[in-house]
Amino acid sequence: MADWWNGVELWVAGIAFPFQFALVVLFLGPLCVGVAWVIDRTVDHASTWFGPAPGDEEPIGAEATGVEVAQDEERTEDLVDSVRT
């Protein structure tokens, strides 16, 4: 196996740069996309498996309650008044 890989390395090193680039784009690009897809699916399944319990609180950035929206509106009005003055 090592002798075969050394032969491949020597062959790639011996060809012109544009062909080396084409080989990387054609073979290494799809390989990296495939590995990224596998990692994405693995993390997705793991996050589903180890996800939050049904009784956990909402994450930051979740939908605001009516009270929080009213406070935000007051704060926005304060900022607008300070700019007008």
Side-chain angles (χ1 to χ4, degrees):
M1 180 73 175
D3 290 334
W4 174 82
W5 184 250
N6 285 337
V8 171
E9 287 179 332
L10 288 173
W11 175 74
V12 171
I15 61 177
F17 177 74
F19 296 116
Q20 289 178 359
F21 181 77
L23 283 173
V24 167
V25 170
L26 292 175
F27 291 105
L28 198 57
L31 178 67
C32 290
V33 169
V35 168
W37 181 82
V38 168
I39 291 171
D40 180 56
R41 296 289 95 205
T42 303
V43 169
D44 189 34
H45 288 297
S47 65
T48 302
W49 182 264
F50 296 110
D56 285 348
E57 62 186 42
E58 293 282 331
I60 295 175
E63 288 293 323
T65 62
V67 175
E68 293 174 4
V69 172
Q71 291 174 354
D72 289 341
E73 290 173 1
E74 289 176 11
R75 178 69 179 145
T76 305
E77 291 173 2
D78 291 342
L79 292 173
V80 172
D81 290 340
S82 65
V83 172
R84 291 181 193 160
T85 313

